[in-house]
Amino acid sequence: MAREVIIGLDFGNCNTFPCFISDRNGETTRTGGYTHDLLPPRQQDGIPSVYFWSKGRGELCGKSARDATPSDQRQWNLKRRLDKTVTLDGRTIACADMVTSVVQHCVRCANQKLQRDFLITTNQVSLSYPATYTFAQLQRLIELVEKGTLEDGRHIKVCGTIREPAAAALDYLAEFAHSDAETTVLTYDLGGGTFDLALVAAYPKGRQDSEGKTYYYDVLATDGLPKVGGTEFDEIMYELLLSKFEAVIGGKLNDLGKKKVRRMAEAQKIALSSDNSIEPELEYNDDYVFCHVTREEFESKALGLVMQTVEKTKAFLEKHPQQQPGLVLLTGGASQMPLVQKKLREALPQYKDKVIFFRPSKAIAYGAARYGVVEREVKLRTAYDLGIRFYRTGTDIRFIDTYIPAGTEIPFSGNYDTSYTRYDGQENSIFRVYEAKVANPNSEQISRDWREIMSVTLEHGRLPQGTETESRLGINKLGVLTVEARDPSKPGKPPVKNTVELKNLS
């Protein structure tokens, strides 16, 4: 076994997967070794990322929280609600505190498995996080995770982080494809709470940054549907089962019967991923009731939701023609539905043989365990160029002057650059800030290769044509981009500013 055990943790909106990798090849390589799930017995689909609190039962997490009643005291989808609060049984609780409790429960469960099977425990965690998280959100998540403790009192320590789609892509390349080639991967992540797309440039052997530190990926672009996920497909299965059981009994199920049907919906949906039909049973009124559901029936009900994700994927690829992926990787538990793979292949014939289904529920955890980077080594960099729009002198031709090239490490503080008023009597100058949508953008193809993200207006009074003005861009350690503009003839006057939180960081 490796000298140091690190738990790879995919903290999901519905389920959490902990794992670790033993006996990797040597001290520095990230290939080889054996993967191990660290799940409790009878929870092989993951530890429920559920929090429950009531006056009678107190705080519950995981499977006991998912099964506790009343159901309106249960909370999930916590990762995307870090700044929210909810009231449970008269008590107001921050979702951030729920995250700490749930993650603590999952890490303790993982350590119980480690202790039983390997006679070892660890407080070291390599954590995956959404591709759409800003740097500030990531730091907040790390802070909440590290508030948790093991049963022996040690605090959890986040020793590495990795974006979820990058973890899945690198896990596939390392574990299944056995490839160390640099590859662009489109991850199609149909998870429990959301649908996320990401274009990832994966570097299994690593690349070196300007300080000689190794990094393993760049997230080139992201998109998705925040209200489409496994939960919505579970609801479709619930409605289908409800109608089937009520047809069998010849009437309406009571509230208890409906709760039982809702609890079985997810498991029956998963069963149809491998079986053409199912015959679930329901204990009802001291008897057992059976119904028959085919995969075709479920897929006909779910087709609309699936096609939303397929059309989004198609549009996403069309939006980024210069970054065509080598493969389309399906991740997230809901992507196990055969209908997903079938419709993607029909809609994307050029990728028919490149739509890959690979342990969708666990790839992110394994990728985190293998490729999470020690936090002190992380250097955030801009993924795309950032600049300000100007006009060519004496013309109406617009162009983007790149102030911060792609790959610039943050924090970054730029110097003031000089520009000039376009015409006599100009009373203000507008500095429009753009970020590139593609790698190596054309500075004059603004509508095609760039998007405006903010602007600032410098009021300087009437000036003759060709009068100097100055502007600059800077990014702080939290990923906040600031544009400043000033009139150099008035050195005592503070510059005007505007800010935006960047997401194009890798």
Side-chain angles (χ1 to χ4, degrees):
M1 186 182 297
R3 294 178 183 176
E4 183 180 29
V5 173
I6 296 174
I7 296 172
L9 193 70
D10 174 18
F11 171 50
N13 283 306
C14 292
N15 291 292
T16 293
F17 293 89
C19 71
F20 90 104
I21 299 173
S22 66
D23 303 308
R24 290 199 313 203
N25 298 332
E27 291 293 322
T28 58
T29 182
R30 293 176 182 266
T31 61
Y34 303 95
T35 55
H36 307 271
D37 294 339
L38 297 176
L39 294 164
R42 297 178 296 281
Q43 295 186 45
Q44 294 310 297
D45 292 328
I47 304 170
S49 306
V50 183
Y51 180 93
F52 176 94
W53 191 89
S54 72
K55 293 176 182 177
R57 304 194 65 182
E59 180 181 272
L60 300 174
C61 295
K63 184 177 183 299
S64 60
R66 184 193 64 189
D67 297 340
T69 56
S71 59
D72 57 4
Q73 304 301 104
R74 305 178 202 141
Q75 296 292 309
W76 58 91
N77 287 332
L78 301 175
K79 191 167 53 177
R80 298 183 184 272
R81 298 191 288 150
L82 298 184
D83 59 342
K84 307 295 184 183
T85 60
V86 296
T87 300
L88 302 177
D89 205 7
R91 179 187 176 192
T92 300
I93 307 175
C95 289
D97 293 333
M98 298 182 199
V99 168
T100 298
S101 294
V102 171
V103 171
Q104 174 180 275
H105 169 78
C106 295
V107 174
R108 288 185 177 187
C109 287
N111 269 285
Q112 290 168 8
K113 177 75 169 176
L114 278 172
Q115 180 63 50
R116 284 194 304 270
D117 294 354
F118 302 98
L119 302 179
I120 193 171
T121 60
T122 182
N123 67 337
Q124 302 291 304
V125 169
S126 182
L127 181 69
S128 65
Y129 62 98
T132 54
Y133 259 28
T134 64
F135 187 47
Q137 286 174 306
L138 171 59
Q139 295 306 307
R140 178 62 169 151
L141 182 61
I142 292 172
E143 172 192 328
L144 296 176
V145 169
E146 292 189 334
K147 286 173 65 178
T149 62
L150 304 188
E151 291 174 333
D152 62 12
R154 283 180 292 168
H155 274 273
I156 298 168
K157 174 62 179 175
V158 176
C159 63
T161 59
I162 187 170
R163 293 180 189 262
E164 291 167 358
L170 286 162
D171 176 58
Y172 171 80
L173 293 173
E175 187 72 13
F176 185 78
H178 302 294
S179 171
D180 58 11
E182 295 189 354
T183 306
T184 298
V185 178
L186 170 63
T187 61
Y188 169 106
D189 185 359
L190 190 54
T194 61
F195 169 63
D196 298 310
L197 289 164
L199 274 168
V200 179
Y203 319 126
K205 292 197 297 185
R207 283 186 171 186
Q208 303 296 308
D209 65 15
S210 61
E211 294 183 358
K213 304 291 179 61
T214 303
Y215 64 99
Y216 295 93
Y217 68 94
D218 283 304
V219 175
L220 306 176
T222 62
D223 206 341
L225 298 168
K227 295 183 179 180
V228 174
T231 302
E232 284 69 35
F233 290 97
D234 292 346
E235 185 65 24
I236 290 172
M237 176 57 79
Y238 165 72
E239 294 291 344
L240 181 57
L241 290 173
L242 186 63
S243 66
K244 290 278 187 174
F245 281 122
E246 288 184 341
V248 171
I249 68 170
K252 298 292 185 180
L253 289 176
N254 59 27
D255 288 345
L256 178 59
K258 290 179 180 178
K259 287 181 180 178
K260 290 180 178 179
V261 173
R262 188 171 292 281
R263 288 185 183 182
M264 71 170 68
E266 181 183 10
Q268 300 305 318
K269 177 194 71 176
I270 293 172
L272 278 181
S273 295
S274 55
D275 299 330
N276 290 321
S277 64
I278 53 174
E279 291 190 354
E281 64 178 29
L282 172 68
E283 185 180 359
Y284 188 70
N285 288 343
D286 298 323
D287 197 2
Y288 286 93
V289 180
F290 296 85
C291 72
H292 183 80
V293 181
T294 67
R295 180 189 293 172
E296 184 179 4
E297 288 176 310
F298 174 70
E299 289 184 344
S300 69
K301 300 285 187 181
L303 181 60
L305 273 182
V306 170
M307 291 310 298
Q308 285 186 47
T309 70
V310 170
E311 291 303 320
K312 190 71 171 178
T313 304
K314 186 176 179 180
F316 184 60
L317 286 169
E318 291 172 350
K319 188 177 179 181
H320 301 280
Q322 297 182 1
Q323 283 127 0
Q324 295 300 299
L327 62 101
V328 179
L329 185 64
L330 308 185
T331 68
S335 70
Q336 297 178 65
M337 294 182 293
L339 181 64
V340 168
Q341 197 171 38
K342 176 184 176 183
K343 291 302 178 183
L344 278 173
R345 286 175 169 171
E346 289 176 357
L348 306 171
Q350 69 273 39
Y351 295 102
K352 183 178 179 181
D353 298 323
K354 297 179 181 180
V355 178
I356 306 298
F357 176 83
F358 176 66
R359 60 181 182 201
S361 295
K362 300 179 181 180
I364 292 173
Y366 288 132
R370 192 182 296 278
Y371 283 100
V373 179
V374 175
E375 193 62 23
R376 65 177 176 270
E377 295 179 352
V378 168
K379 289 289 186 181
L380 282 181
R381 293 163 290 110
T382 55
Y384 293 101
D385 293 350
L386 294 155
I388 296 178
R389 191 200 73 185
F390 294 107
Y391 287 85
R392 301 283 183 201
T393 303
T395 74
D396 290 329
I397 299 174
R398 301 180 302 168
F399 74 99
I400 302 296
D401 187 2
T402 297
Y403 278 39
I404 306 178
T408 299
E409 294 179 358
I410 72 165
F412 170 82
S413 181
N415 297 319
Y416 277 102
D417 281 354
T418 301
S419 54
Y420 304 92
T421 53
R422 292 187 63 211
Y423 51 85
D424 284 330
Q426 186 171 325
E427 296 185 351
N428 59 58
S429 298
I430 302 175
F431 297 85
R432 301 187 184 277
V433 181
Y434 283 74
E435 67 176 357
K437 297 187 288 187
V438 297
N440 304 311
N442 186 312
S443 64
E444 294 184 358
Q445 293 290 336
I446 297 176
S447 61
R448 186 191 71 184
D449 291 354
W450 301 81
R451 67 167 64 87
E452 183 177 347
I453 56 175
M454 66 172 166
S455 66
V456 68
T457 300
L458 175 64
E459 302 287 351
H460 45 57
R462 296 173 64 86
L463 294 175
Q465 182 182 17
T467 302
E468 290 185 359
T469 55
E470 294 181 332
S471 58
R472 69 176 179 181
L473 297 179
I475 311 174
N476 70 13
K477 65 180 182 180
L478 296 180
V480 176
L481 175 70
T482 298
V483 57
E484 298 182 10
R486 68 183 184 185
D487 181 349
S489 68
K490 301 175 182 178
K493 188 174 181 179
V496 291
K497 301 180 181 181
N498 198 3
T499 61
V500 67
E501 192 172 34
L502 276 183
K503 292 186 178 181
N504 85 14
L505 300 175
S506 63

